Amino acid sequence: KQEVTQIPAALSVPEGENLVLNCSFTDSAIYNLQWFRQDPGKGLTSLLLIQSSQREQTSGRLNASLDKSSGRSTLYIAASQPGDSATYLCAVPGVNTGGFKTIFGAGTRLFVKA
Amino acid sequence: NAGVTQTPKFQVLKTGQSMTLQCAQDMNHEYMSWYRQDPGMGLRLIHYSVGAGITDQGEVPNGYNVSRSTTEDFPLRLLSAAPSQTSVYFCAAGGGQETQYFGPGTRLLVL
């Protein structure tokens, strides 16, 4: 059974710092891995999707990497800003379930201090 | 382009009442799904659909019913509400091998 773990559970950093959020998964049979952002009381917003054949994906100050063989992904945020404060979740749809049962990590709650 | 919309935003029910949470998408995705989000439990899949007329159970389907008569709409029915169903419910379109898009959520309180 696929399990997704995110470390750390919470993180507080000063503005301007570069930071890395971690996501690990137990079953390497995945179609892709998606990173989301969730603001308090809101829905999830897709940030990046990395296909299983890709090693990384970039969008602005965000860079996500994927190492399928070791079951790990990282989300790198450059020059963090207070507006980056949110919960970040990673998710994997499992190949063994036809991609229809996506498993989510519990998230990393990020606070960027001004 | 509204994306994924959900109604209502907030609902209070008494134990035993039934209700339907509405979800609609205008992105023409075949795949839609319902999740519940609880503190300490993360997001858990309730039901999903791979197209009109096709639905299947997720991780926590008990007490919920779904149908998919059109590509656009995917309502979630609570048959007889229980306090354990107090949660935030999210509908999503896409997923699988595609990007998944979420609605804003419905916050449900069952007394």
Side-chain angles (χ1 to χ4, degrees):
Chain A
K1 180 185 174 185
Q2 179 74 274
E3 293 182 3
V4 180
T5 304
Q6 291 188 245
I7 295 172
L11 183 62
S12 180
V13 300
E15 182 178 7
E17 190 162 301
N18 302 325
L19 57 100
V20 174
L21 307 181
N22 297 292
C23 171
S24 62
F25 47 94
T26 56
D27 186 351
S28 62
I30 61 172
Y31 285 118
N32 54 58
L33 185 143
Q34 194 166 358
W35 282 93
F36 293 89
R37 168 187 173 137
Q38 186 176 28
D39 293 289
K42 304 291 185 182
L44 280 69
T45 300
S46 178
L47 296 173
L48 289 164
L49 182 144
I50 315 175
Q51 298 293 350
S52 63
S53 59
Q54 296 178 310
R55 296 285 291 182
E56 65 178 69
Q57 193 72 251
T58 298
S59 176
R61 293 183 294 108
L62 305 179
N63 176 278
S65 68
L66 176 64
D67 184 344
K68 210 172 71 164
S69 61
S70 67
R72 293 180 186 176
S73 176
T74 61
L75 179 66
Y76 175 83
I77 302 177
S80 58
Q81 303 170 358
D84 294 331
S85 298
T87 297
Y88 292 81
L89 299 100
C90 63
V92 291
V95 169
N96 294 336
T97 60
F100 301 129
K101 293 188 177 181
T102 298
I103 304 299
F104 284 80
T108 293
R109 188 176 301 176
L110 174 65
F111 180 65
V112 181
K113 298 172 285 187
Chain B
N1 227 2
V4 181
T5 58
Q6 292 184 237
T7 56
K9 290 184 179 179
F10 181 72
Q11 183 73 45
V12 179
L13 289 179
K14 295 180 179 178
T15 296
Q17 286 184 316
S18 63
M19 79 160 293
T20 299
L21 280 64
Q22 301 291 345
C23 174
Q25 56 120 350
D26 61 1
M27 299 180 290
N28 206 35
H29 282 290
E30 292 294 328
Y31 180 48
M32 294 185 75
S33 47
W34 276 101
Y35 295 86
R36 59 178 289 173
Q37 187 175 38
D38 304 288
M41 302 292 291
L43 275 154
R44 292 181 292 170
L45 182 65
I46 304 171
H47 284 286
Y48 65 93
S49 169
V50 300
I54 307 170
T55 63
D56 204 349
Q57 297 180 351
E59 183 183 357
V60 287
N62 292 341
Y64 306 96
N65 200 4
V66 292
S67 60
R68 183 97 178 269
S69 56
T70 66
T71 300
E72 294 77 21
D73 300 301
F74 190 41
L76 177 72
R77 297 182 187 84
L78 277 69
L79 309 174
S80 177
S84 61
Q85 294 179 304
T86 293
S87 186
V88 182
Y89 291 86
F90 290 103
C91 176
Q97 300 183 51
E98 303 174 321
T99 298
Q100 196 166 31
Y101 298 95
F102 280 78
T106 294
R107 193 172 298 268
L108 177 67
L109 175 62
V110 183
L111 302 174

